[in-house]
Amino acid sequence: MGKLREDYDNYLEGLEIENLVDEAIDFEDYKYMYSLYLRKLGFFEDSEEGLDLALLELDKLSKIDFIDVRELGMEVSIREGFHGKLKEEILNSTVEFERFNAISRENSREYIETDIGIVNFDLPKFLRENTSLRVKDGYNIVIYRIKNNFEDKYKLIAFRNFGMDYILKDDVVLDTYFEGVDLCFPKGYDNYLEFLKGDGSLFSFVDAISLFNEITNLNEEEEEILYGENRYLSNAYIPNEPTLYEVGDKIYIDYTSIQKGDSGNYDTFIKNIVLFQNREFSLKKFRKEMGSI
């Protein structure tokens, strides 16, 4: 039995104990929910087999003892001033919206008027000027803004070449049941990180971390800051700079981010482990809550 099926059976058993089994979602919805959750951690998988592998990878990462791994002895500060620049540029950019009658995933008979448009923003130029990253030759990464009565979201999609690839499928689905927005683009790739290149330096890996968090936080109410951009937010805990580790043929980056708490103070620290395979930017992130300071 795969990891996802095993987790689903445990989910059903828990509901049965509470006499709530009638409220259970079916396996397909459960699988979809997990796919959205794992995307936030850098795993862009939709198939049951792919989700099983992602869950096993997370489980393995959570059990790694970093005393036993090889530390490459490299530390690097996150590029000063990078945080917030991308969000500011995107929010200040113009968007020409097109109206779609999107289908609600929660109720297939419900249609929601949704405005979707490409953000008028030169992402490749931004990457060149602010990071060590660039978009791979032959690809284009497009930022979409999605507006409806429920939320205002952003989504990045990578495309091979140009042309009609930018047009949405006719059966656009707007997710209102689980968090996130699920849009279908022909010939589009959700995992835009696969189509970025760096200069092979540690700065490229850290820039990829920064970019991933910037994009993720466009759709989050909480403000998250990667440590290194403002090291004096709190004297209660001073974390290390990002450090590079190696386990077998895989590379891990251990770093710390700071999240704004309910009190308005930056008092919550989250420990992250980032995995890169074959020195490419296929990002797989395991996040572990460290607790409030």
Side-chain angles (χ1 to χ4, degrees):
M1 181 186 294
K3 183 74 168 67
L4 189 64
R5 293 275 179 180
E6 182 180 334
D7 287 350
Y8 182 69
D9 287 346
N10 291 335
Y11 157 75
L12 293 179
E13 288 178 9
L15 289 180
E16 188 173 359
I17 292 173
E18 299 293 331
N19 294 319
L20 296 174
V21 71
D22 291 339
E23 299 182 16
I25 60 176
D26 62 27
F27 179 74
E28 287 302 313
D29 280 346
Y30 187 84
K31 183 176 74 170
Y32 173 69
M33 177 186 68
Y34 253 108
S35 73
L36 291 180
Y37 164 70
L38 289 170
R39 285 181 190 184
K40 289 190 172 184
L41 304 180
F43 294 86
F44 294 83
E45 302 286 352
D46 294 310
S47 68
E48 184 175 343
E49 181 182 3
L51 292 172
D52 277 338
L53 292 174
L55 290 171
L56 290 172
E57 187 72 55
L58 286 177
D59 186 58
K60 184 172 67 174
L61 285 174
S62 68
K63 296 174 181 176
I64 285 179
D65 183 354
F66 274 87
I67 296 176
D68 298 327
V69 303
R70 178 187 175 194
E71 183 177 343
L72 301 184
M74 299 176 69
E75 296 185 357
V76 62
S77 296
I78 289 165
R79 193 178 300 270
E80 184 177 355
F82 177 70
H83 175 76
K85 272 189 179 180
L86 179 62
K87 184 174 185 178
E88 182 180 351
E89 291 282 352
I90 291 175
L91 293 178
N92 292 334
S93 297
T94 58
V95 183
E96 293 186 8
F97 286 112
E98 184 174 350
R99 177 63 56 87
F100 288 87
N101 288 321
I103 302 169
S104 168
R105 181 178 288 275
E106 183 178 1
N107 181 356
S108 61
R109 292 174 294 180
E110 179 183 0
Y111 289 85
I112 302 169
E113 289 189 342
T114 304
D115 295 315
I116 301 174
I118 298 174
V119 175
N120 183 21
F121 173 63
D122 192 342
L123 180 62
K125 179 181 178 183
F126 176 87
L127 294 177
R128 288 195 305 269
E129 294 179 351
N130 294 279
T131 75
S132 60
L133 306 174
R134 66 173 177 83
V135 181
K136 288 182 180 180
D137 293 340
Y139 291 92
N140 195 29
I141 297 178
V142 178
I143 305 175
Y144 286 86
R145 184 179 176 192
I146 302 105
K147 285 180 65 68
N148 55 69
N149 294 331
F150 302 99
E151 53 200 343
D152 189 348
K153 292 271 188 176
Y154 293 88
K155 186 176 180 70
L156 259 72
I157 296 288
F159 293 94
R160 177 81 176 176
N161 299 319
F162 302 93
M164 300 299 289
D165 293 349
Y166 295 97
I167 297 177
L168 286 167
K169 289 183 179 178
D170 292 333
D171 56 343
V172 175
V173 175
L174 179 67
D175 173 27
T176 58
Y177 192 82
F178 299 119
E179 58 182 317
V181 174
D182 183 23
L183 300 175
C184 300
F185 293 86
K187 302 180 183 178
Y189 304 91
D190 284 337
N191 189 0
Y192 59 90
L193 289 166
E194 289 185 2
F195 307 102
L196 293 176
K197 274 287 190 182
D199 59 11
S201 69
L202 183 56
F203 284 103
S204 290
F205 290 92
V206 177
D207 281 343
I209 294 171
S210 299
L211 178 64
F212 182 79
N213 278 273
E214 286 276 359
I215 298 301
T216 301
N217 290 335
L218 286 173
N219 296 326
E220 297 287 350
E221 294 182 0
E222 298 83 6
E223 182 179 0
E224 183 177 343
I225 296 178
L226 289 175
Y227 173 71
E229 297 166 61
N230 189 340
R231 69 179 68 240
Y232 301 114
L233 286 172
S234 171
N235 289 326
Y237 175 62
I238 304 298
N240 293 324
E241 298 284 9
T243 305
L244 201 66
Y245 296 89
E246 189 175 46
V247 181
D249 62 344
K250 297 179 180 179
I251 298 169
Y252 297 83
I253 296 180
D254 182 276
Y255 73 100
T256 304
S257 62
I258 304 167
Q259 200 169 53
K260 202 174 202 178
D262 294 336
S263 63
N265 298 320
Y266 294 97
D267 56 5
T268 302
F269 291 84
I270 303 171
K271 198 69 172 179
N272 297 271
I273 301 167
V274 179
L275 179 148
F276 297 89
Q277 192 165 10
N278 301 322
R279 301 193 69 82
E280 292 288 352
F281 299 112
S282 180
L283 182 62
K284 298 177 181 180
K285 184 178 69 171
F286 170 74
R287 175 179 288 184
K288 182 178 180 182
E289 181 73 26
M290 295 296 289
S292 299
I293 302 300

